[in-house]
Amino acid sequence: MEKLIFEKSSEGRKGYTLPGLDVPEVKIAESIPADLLRENELRLPEVSENELSRHFIKLSKLNFNIEEGMYPLGSCTMKYNPKVNEVTASIPGFANLHPETKPENAQGALRMLYELGEAFKIITGLQGVTLQPSAGSNGEFAGIMMIRAYHIDRKDDKRTVILMPDSAHGTNPSSAAIGGFKVQTVASRPDGRVDVDDLRSKVDETIAGFMITNPNTIGLFEEDIMEIGEIIHGCGGLMYMDGANMNALLGITTPGKMNFDCIHINVHKTFSTPHGGGGPGAAPVCVSDKLVPYLPAPTVVKNGDKYDFEYKEKSMGKIHAFFGNFSVLLRTYTYIRMLGSEGLKGVSENAIINANYLLARLRNDFVVPYDEKCMHECVLSGDRQKEIGVSTKDMAKRLMDYGFHAPTVYFPLIVHEAMLIEPTETESYESLNQFADAMIDIAKEAVETPEKLTNAPLNAPVKRLDDALAARNLNISWFSRK
Ligand SMILES: *Cc1c(COP(=O)(O)O)cnc(C)c1O
């Protein structure tokens, strides 16, 4: 096991030098209230610059990452972070801009935000936009709060229920519940789509809205979406689209054409920004005319050739400090400007072709729960392997030995032993084939040498962990270990 940086520490060793002080010294104890001062020395590792960079480079090599290989995670998308994004994100005029800068001194930054917002309005076919939310889930919450503000503003306060299909992503019920709504689920039909009859039996004047992912979480297009919209609008509710699967729709159709009033877009899923690590993200939310007055404040507006902020009177409030995660939005803007509208359409066309290619190559070796063409991702079931004692989890772990990250597993919940696979548009024919070959080999191993799967990973730096023990007895603190 690699030592912790604290264990490499040696007293008095330094990895930096600072220039001499050329301003009057301020005693910290005098400038900070006594009750806010720490009582003990801050315990930081003391290492040289070389030790520091070697330590983190070593750790980074233990991680799987998109610069190293394909990861077929479904409903999670970006497998590609273009380097040009980093070039624009480090332009000093953008990178060093203080968020308190007055609008008249930040016209370029405001113009970028404005143009990005306009691009999202075209992409979604909707009328209003906010760039503030910092993740898909945060965008959902903003959307739910706007839906709430809309009903309250109309004095329609008996609308307490948000409906959603039983295939919904976990963040959907969470956002609705945190927004103060009751969640009611609608059944899926055997073909994986919303059961419209079940939906019809559940609508009344308590329905605030309906949340749905389209294509849905099993990678299928909801063909009854127009009818669903009519039913929900007919009872006075609003339509929320979870845009995590926009990768299948870019330039082909829009949520605006499908009766939606609100959609969030995960830029780390569709617009090339880095995904994971819990770092800053962004999820622009686009809304129909009905919700424009309630958008989070401020929005960016264009007056003549000047850009400014606008604070709408009925706004739901703020959802993020300042204006959102600016440098993430800048990367998004770069990607959209690099591709243009034809390029964006190509993204979806290729994502769909790639997913269908994988489905065709894997269909004989795995159970295919919904046997039809898919959109940008496909779902398989490990049921056949489970019968002979090998679970989807075992196969996911074994994929690491083949140099791949696992697909999304055990989601969507309505599929047994689910594997949700999304190659995206940026994987080549060769890398798709390498992945399919690995999956087919693993299906063979499940029959011939199942212990290779149940003990996997065999080659990873960390072997199979006891996840039940880890959950019950989690100890990740160095100080408490000593
Ligand atoms: C990823 C995802 C979300 C949540 O988005 P985050 O940006 O991870 O918060 C919501 N719904 C679906 C279908 C998703 O795939």
Side-chain angles (χ1 to χ4, degrees), residues 74-77 134-140 167-172 213 215-217 242-245 264 266-269 275 282-283 377 411:
S75 206
C76 278
T77 321
S134 49
S137 43
N138 198 220
E140 289 171 32
S167 59
H169 189 269
T171 52
N172 292 183
T213 311
N216 62 24
T217 57
D242 179 327
N245 290 343
H264 77 258
N266 313 58
V267 299
H268 42 284
K269 295 185 179 178
H275 196 167
E377 59 190 350
F411 176 80

